[in-house]
Amino acid sequence: MSDAFTRSLIGKTDPSPYDQVIFLSQEMINKAFHHMWALTPKKNPPPLRVFKQSYRTGDINITLDAPTIKLMVTTKQDPQLYFMLNINSGTIETYISSDPNDNTKKKFDVAGWKFGFAVKLASKIVEKSDPRFSSVVTQAGFSPDTYSLAQLYLEVSSSTQNSEKYNSYGKYDWKAESPETQAAFLGFCQSWWNIMKKSDCNIIGYSIQANKPDPTKVDSATFPPTSIDYWVYPWKDPNYSNPPDTDDSPKNALCYLMMSDFTKPPTRIGLEYSGAFVNGGGLYTMNAGTFWARWLLPLLQGLNKGAEIIPDEPLNEYYPNPSDGYHWAAGMRYHIGVSGTHSTKDPYYAFTKSTWRPGTWTWSGSQKTSSKTLSDGKHTTHVVSQTSTTSTELSFDKGGHGVTLKGKTVFDFNVQFNWDGSPWGNPSHLKITSEWRFKMALSSVSDGGIQFARVPETSGEKPCTVMVNADQGDVRWKYGFDSIKQSFSNSLNNYIDNDTYEIQNALLSSLDGQDKLFLPASGTFLMKDPKFNDRGDLLVTLSYNGAEPPDAPKRAAAPTTKLFMASKQGIYGPVSFNIQGIPPRIRPKAIPNLAVRTSEISIKVSAAA
């Protein structure tokens, strides 16, 4: 994290109190407008490119550059945006007098003129009968009964206002022109704006929202927004300690402020400045409280349950041996992951956030014990006891994309000889320490989204390692310790590799379709480079993906890089794009129907009769 922006992004940013926030920089939005403008036909061009009309107040004949916006951050009141009409070339002619008998006109060369509409953001629900609803919600695989489509657009009602601060009239002293001339030009601009509205050129983007909780729907997204507000977030240069807010910075950002799970949004709309979320471009962030506390921690409780080692009644019994009289056998018995007391969702398995190690959660199971006493009916008793304690620790890579769950079980096996109820001789003790890991990571995938998956172990390695420490005491061991290590290792490795498919599939599907919940006016967003900041908030870079304009330079794949092709459903139909070197999405695995296994080791020992 050598540069100031990355240090601010990772070390300072905080999307609270919102569950999810999208940041779209002014630069990124203007690139989207340029795409929209560049894709319009040059033959029989629409008013977005050429505007030619005659009115009672005069005539306008202009060619236009792409429209742009300016984001205002020095005031929290309207207007927070200016929508800019950028004239490339052309003329206007206006009547110089309001006298209907005076046909005198004045002609203006308007090349390079700029006119700013003061606008504000608004949103509305797209009706199900609208073709755009089907193209976004239904074709993305979401149920129209569960989800609605919200459209974010520039409010037309305030567009009659304009700011001379951002207007430019070339060589003319516009203030010196007659009120009739000024009113005529304002009328031309208003007419153009109305046409933009009818052509949907005032739309910023769309968002799919959940209408009501319905966990029975198989198409339910994991993190759908249930409320959306909008804000303008300032860019502050992180190279300085207290830089000022600056209007019209290309790095100022329009924000989608979203709540999930039908949580009530803050009464006071807004996001306090915490750090630099974007440096141009866009960013999607999910609050750590949503990602960890509401989703990942409860999911990984299943691993706390599944990997807990629980002792059963140990082996402790006499057996006849004709060659040397009575002998006895002792051995350990245990099983993993099945507790008759606690279910997977039981608070018993819940993680606790570490107070002394930020970015870490821990779980410690209660000590489990079992024992069996055997008597010869005279003076001697043999007591075999077992204790087991399992704990886990979950952590993430700050500034990175990895998550690791580490587990540890300490299993003690003891043999104690008693003579008339008092300890006799030297007891035997085994301490088996099993440690395992379950590695996960976020990654970009070739369809433009992101995925969370288990990271397989390096070839030849296993997730579990076992150590055995022993004090034989007065017991003669019939078998070595390798069988003990192998039993514990096999049990845990088999669980992690084969019995965690349900958890792995939940990881894979958790962010599936997240990129489909938010769309620009046309095309889609590409998600890439997921990472965590110091708080544990999920940060994902957003880039605009629309059909390339005709004048865009062609990009070729590097000779040694595989070029992946993908297609996504945009607001106006399929959108194709290329992604170099990014792997395809991993598909969920079939979940095997495995019976609960009980592992048992019988350690035969010999002692004097």
Side-chain angles (χ1 to χ4, degrees):
M1 294 195 299
S2 57
D3 66 284
F5 167 70
T6 303
R7 290 195 297 271
S8 179
L9 175 65
I10 301 302
K12 296 182 178 180
T13 54
D14 182 356
S16 300
Y18 294 94
D19 295 334
Q20 302 175 75
V21 181
I22 285 181
F23 297 84
L24 304 177
S25 69
Q26 176 177 304
E27 175 184 82
M28 183 178 184
I29 295 172
N30 285 338
K31 285 183 178 179
F33 277 128
H34 179 270
H35 273 71
M36 179 174 61
W37 171 86
L39 288 169
T40 57
K42 293 182 179 180
K43 184 178 181 180
N44 299 320
L48 186 62
R49 186 180 285 272
V50 174
F51 186 44
K52 182 178 181 181
Q53 293 288 340
S54 294
Y55 299 94
R56 293 178 61 185
T57 54
D59 307 302
I60 182 169
N61 185 1
I62 58 175
T63 60
L64 299 167
D65 289 329
T68 54
I69 66 164
K70 297 178 183 290
L71 298 178
M72 305 291 106
V73 295
T74 56
T75 176
K76 300 306 179 185
Q77 298 176 345
D78 289 330
Q80 289 186 297
L81 294 91
Y82 282 93
F83 188 85
M84 301 302 299
L85 168 64
N86 302 310
I87 302 175
N88 179 277
S89 62
T91 60
I92 63 169
E93 292 184 74
T94 65
Y95 293 101
I96 63 173
S97 170
S98 59
D99 184 350
N101 297 318
D102 186 353
N103 293 323
T104 307
K105 294 181 180 179
K106 185 173 183 179
K107 189 174 184 178
F108 296 86
D109 180 355
V110 295
W113 282 29
K114 298 181 184 299
F115 185 84
F117 294 96
V119 296
K120 58 185 178 182
L121 292 167
S123 64
K124 66 179 181 180
I125 298 299
V126 178
E127 297 295 331
K128 292 182 180 181
S129 58
D130 192 311
R132 286 169 294 190
F133 183 92
S134 177
S135 68
V136 177
V137 178
T138 306
Q139 293 189 36
F142 297 113
S143 169
D145 296 328
T146 309
Y147 295 91
S148 61
L149 182 65
Q151 179 191 88
L152 174 63
Y153 63 99
L154 301 178
E155 178 61 70
V156 178
S157 62
S158 61
S159 64
T160 54
Q161 307 173 43
N162 70 295
S163 172
E164 292 299 327
K165 177 181 179 181
Y166 297 107
N167 294 352
S168 174
Y169 302 99
K171 62 184 179 181
Y172 301 97
D173 180 7
W174 194 246
K175 292 182 180 179
E177 299 297 332
S178 68
E180 289 79 10
T181 294
Q182 294 186 36
F185 179 62
L186 185 61
F188 295 156
C189 295
Q190 182 63 48
S191 297
W192 176 82
W193 175 256
N194 291 338
I195 293 173
M196 292 301 98
K197 173 192 173 184
K198 292 179 181 178
S199 303
D200 290 333
C201 294
N202 64 328
I203 296 173
I204 298 293
Y206 297 86
S207 175
I208 294 177
Q209 295 179 234
N211 293 331
K212 54 186 177 181
D214 192 352
T216 63
K217 295 289 185 181
V218 295
D219 63 353
S220 293
T222 307
F223 308 104
T226 51
S227 69
I228 302 179
D229 289 309
Y230 307 100
W231 193 247
V232 175
Y233 191 82
W235 159 259
K236 295 176 182 281
D237 192 334
N239 287 291
Y240 300 95
S241 59
N242 191 26
D245 294 348
T246 306
D247 289 335
D248 192 29
S249 167
K251 298 176 182 180
N252 288 341
L254 171 64
C255 303
Y256 293 23
L257 308 175
M258 297 172 285
M259 303 302 291
S260 304
D261 296 332
F262 301 91
T263 304
K264 186 177 180 180
T267 303
R268 180 177 175 270
I269 298 172
L271 185 65
E272 293 295 329
Y273 184 86
S274 58
F277 281 94
V278 291
N279 195 24
L283 185 87
Y284 166 81
T285 179
M286 183 183 295
N287 196 304
T290 300
F291 185 85
W292 298 94
R294 294 191 201 171
W295 175 68
L296 189 59
L297 297 180
L299 175 65
L300 295 183
Q301 284 186 198
L303 283 165
N304 292 342
K305 174 181 172 63
E308 185 178 27
I309 295 180
I310 302 169
D312 297 317
E313 183 182 82
L315 176 69
N316 185 15
E317 60 188 34
Y318 288 113
Y319 69 97
N321 188 327
S323 65
D324 55 5
Y326 278 95
H327 282 238
W328 58 277
M332 60 188 69
R333 289 180 173 142
Y334 68 90
H335 68 273
I336 68 170
V338 180
S339 170
T341 307
H342 307 288
S343 65
T344 302
K345 296 182 179 180
D346 195 306
Y348 168 76
Y349 294 110
F351 288 93
T352 300
K353 192 170 186 178
S354 175
T355 56
W356 61 280
R357 291 184 61 189
T360 303
W361 293 263
T362 60
W363 171 75
S364 294
S366 61
Q367 187 181 74
K368 305 292 192 300
T369 63
S370 66
S371 64
K372 184 177 181 181
T373 300
L374 181 68
S375 173
D376 65 356
K378 298 177 182 179
H379 301 283
T380 304
T381 56
H382 309 302
V383 181
V384 178
S385 62
Q386 304 174 133
T387 64
S388 178
T389 304
T390 301
S391 61
T392 61
E393 178 183 283
L394 182 68
S395 61
F396 63 89
D397 300 332
K398 296 178 181 179
H401 61 148
V403 177
T404 302
L405 179 64
K406 296 180 180 179
K408 180 178 181 180
T409 298
V410 178
F411 192 100
D412 287 299
F413 177 79
N414 297 281
V415 178
Q416 175 68 55
F417 305 112
N418 294 319
W419 181 269
D420 287 338
S422 298
W424 171 72
N426 296 313
S428 184
H429 174 68
L430 280 178
K431 182 178 181 179
I432 304 101
T433 303
S434 306
E435 296 184 350
W436 54 269
R437 60 185 177 267
F438 188 88
K439 298 186 292 184
M440 299 153 277
L442 291 153
S443 66
S444 307
V445 288
S446 60
D447 62 11
I450 57 173
Q451 194 166 44
F452 197 28
R454 181 195 170 196
V455 178
E457 298 294 327
T458 304
S459 178
E461 293 187 359
K462 288 292 184 179
C464 178
T465 58
V466 179
M467 296 180 294
V468 178
N469 295 312
D471 181 2
Q472 289 187 211
D474 291 335
V475 176
R476 287 188 293 119
W477 299 89
K478 191 170 184 179
Y479 299 105
F481 301 142
D482 286 345
S483 61
I484 302 171
K485 293 175 63 175
Q486 195 66 40
S487 174
F488 277 84
S489 179
N490 286 347
S491 296
L492 287 168
N493 283 326
N494 192 59
Y495 167 70
I496 292 171
D497 287 339
N498 300 313
D499 288 7
T500 59
Y501 284 179
E502 190 170 351
I503 292 174
Q504 292 187 51
N505 287 346
L507 291 173
L508 290 173
S509 62
S510 61
L511 299 169
D512 189 8
Q514 196 69 18
D515 55 310
K516 301 174 185 176
L517 294 172
F518 323 104
L519 296 172
S522 67
T524 58
F525 290 127
L526 300 181
M527 289 182 150
K528 60 181 181 179
D529 301 330
K531 61 179 73 70
F532 297 105
N533 64 6
D534 286 355
R535 283 175 26 91
D537 302 317
L538 172 62
L539 310 172
V540 186
T541 301
L542 292 178
S543 59
Y544 176 75
N545 172 53
E548 292 288 356
D551 56 354
K554 302 300 180 184
R555 294 175 292 178
T560 58
T561 302
K562 184 177 180 181
L563 191 62
F564 287 95
M565 302 295 296
S567 178
K568 291 178 67 106
Q569 189 67 31
I571 209 76
Y572 297 114
V575 179
S576 297
F577 60 91
N578 299 334
I579 300 181
Q580 297 186 28
I582 299 178
R585 186 175 292 277
I586 303 170
R587 296 303 169 191
K589 303 176 182 179
I591 300 176
N593 185 15
L594 298 175
V596 175
R597 291 181 296 273
T598 297
S599 300
E600 178 183 312
I601 308 174
S602 295
I603 308 171
K604 302 292 180 63
V605 296
S606 297

